Amino acid sequence: YAKVVYGGGYIREAFARVGFEGPDEGDDWDVLWTHRPQRALDQMVLPKRRGRRLANHCDYFAAAGDKCRLAEHMRRLVGHWDSGEVRDLPTYQLDDPEERAQWRRRVLERPEQHWLLKPCRGGASKGIIIQRGEQVLEAQRVFGKHAVAQEYLETPYMGFGARKFHLRLYIVVTSWSPTSAYLYDEGLVFRSLSEHKKFGIRDQARDVFSSISSDVEALPLAALWDAMGVGATSDALRSRTQRRIADMLREVLESSAVDASFGPFEDVARRR
């Protein structure tokens, strides 16, 4: 049931520093954190063992786990703020005829731009296609409509070993109305083991990833801040990056934005 340790060796080292063994892969666990449905756990035939097991279960947040619903949510947020300051990568729901037509026009207008095709309910970067121009249009015909097309970031920040990376940050939301949330100072960085090439053919394993693999390493967030160096310029870059992260969270979680996307909090609470 617990097949992979998210974060790999870095997570094991973090556990060891505070005196814990593990985490374990496979079924020999005492405590499990999972997003899988409780009914799936009830149906599992686990090997017999001494003692009891504790499963901490949290259903996937639908607007994040389903990429089509996430794209719809983000589009409503951009429309809510309508200030030109919100900059998310353009994403189109391909099961919507109007959005699909808009995306196809954009592809033809900018044939050099790469696009990601993602299945709505895909995970672990599986099923993703990177293409551009006529190739991505043809790929979409085969791929199907239950997917999103997202603009690929061609010129990422290269100050961290000239390799692509992304952050996994953790927040706890203590109140939705009004919104109150706390961002944990530590986090994970998943970084490609290959240098990023500005031009040329894109490689899915090297350029798009969501967990560790033979092509990707896991690092503590502090490694990114350290890589920015020392001095006034580096301090300003760190501060600007951290401020932008906080601003992004406000854009997504601020009460009026959430209400604009999902409706008044009181109505949502009554429906649950």
Side-chain angles (χ1 to χ4, degrees):
Y1 194 81
K3 300 302 182 185
V4 178
V5 176
Y6 188 80
Y10 170 69
I11 298 300
R12 291 189 179 89
E13 293 168 7
F15 270 56
R17 283 197 298 270
V18 291
F20 286 100
E21 296 181 4
D24 288 314
E25 294 184 355
D27 293 322
D28 187 21
W29 47 266
D30 299 299
V31 181
L32 174 69
W33 281 267
T34 179
H35 65 260
R36 299 183 186 186
Q38 183 67 45
R39 61 182 179 276
L41 181 60
D42 294 339
Q43 296 167 2
M44 291 292 296
V45 179
L46 297 170
K48 291 184 178 180
R49 60 191 299 280
R50 296 183 62 183
R52 302 180 67 181
R53 301 176 189 263
L54 174 63
N56 287 291
H57 157 257
C58 177
D59 269 335
Y60 229 92
F61 172 41
D66 185 324
K67 294 173 179 60
C68 289
R69 295 183 67 176
L70 176 60
E72 183 179 349
H73 173 56
M74 294 305 298
R75 186 172 64 253
R76 289 195 295 259
L77 291 183
V78 171
H80 167 73
W81 292 114
D82 195 27
S83 62
E85 297 177 3
V86 179
R87 171 69 176 100
D88 66 317
L89 292 171
T91 304
Y92 297 86
Q93 290 179 257
L94 299 182
D95 56 359
D96 182 299
E98 184 176 345
E99 288 211 14
R100 188 166 65 250
Q102 291 176 358
W103 171 68
R104 294 179 69 84
R105 286 195 297 270
R106 188 156 184 168
V107 171
L108 295 174
E109 291 169 358
R110 301 170 58 196
E112 75 289 348
Q113 170 67 52
H114 283 86
W115 293 85
L116 300 175
L117 297 181
K118 303 179 181 180
C120 290
R121 293 187 175 273
S125 298
K126 294 179 181 177
I128 292 178
I129 293 175
I130 310 176
Q131 278 294 356
R132 59 183 174 183
E134 291 290 346
Q135 289 85 1
V136 76
L137 295 178
E138 181 58 35
Q140 186 271 316
R141 296 186 186 99
V142 177
F143 201 84
K145 298 177 182 178
H146 196 57
V148 296
Q150 184 178 61
E151 180 182 308
Y152 176 78
L153 184 61
E154 300 279 6
T155 55
Y157 173 70
M158 289 286 96
F160 194 23
R163 290 180 271 172
K164 286 198 70 174
F165 66 92
H166 75 258
L167 310 182
R168 286 296 169 109
L169 304 177
Y170 300 91
I171 65 170
V172 57
V173 179
T174 58
S175 170
W176 282 115
S177 184
T179 304
S180 177
Y182 296 86
L183 174 65
Y184 189 42
D185 287 338
E186 298 183 22
L188 283 174
V189 181
F190 289 152
R191 183 173 69 168
S192 174
L193 293 172
S194 303
E195 286 194 9
H196 179 70
K197 294 178 173 57
K198 187 174 181 179
F199 304 102
I201 298 173
R202 299 303 177 194
D203 179 82
Q204 193 273 336
R206 185 189 65 214
D207 293 329
V208 181
F209 44 85
S210 62
S211 60
I212 62 168
S213 69
S214 58
D215 297 290
V216 180
E217 63 181 344
L219 299 167
L221 181 59
L224 172 61
W225 306 140
D226 291 344
M228 291 182 177
V230 296
T233 301
S234 298
D235 291 345
L237 176 59
R238 265 191 298 273
S239 296
R240 187 164 66 249
T241 303
Q242 293 165 349
R243 186 168 59 252
R244 184 64 190 96
I245 291 171
D247 289 344
M248 180 271 294
L249 289 174
R250 290 191 195 95
E251 293 164 2
V252 175
L253 296 175
E254 196 272 338
S255 298
S256 65
V258 174
D259 285 354
S261 182
F262 296 109
F265 175 81
E266 293 76 12
D267 293 346
V268 175
R270 279 196 293 269
R271 291 198 300 267
R272 288 185 63 83

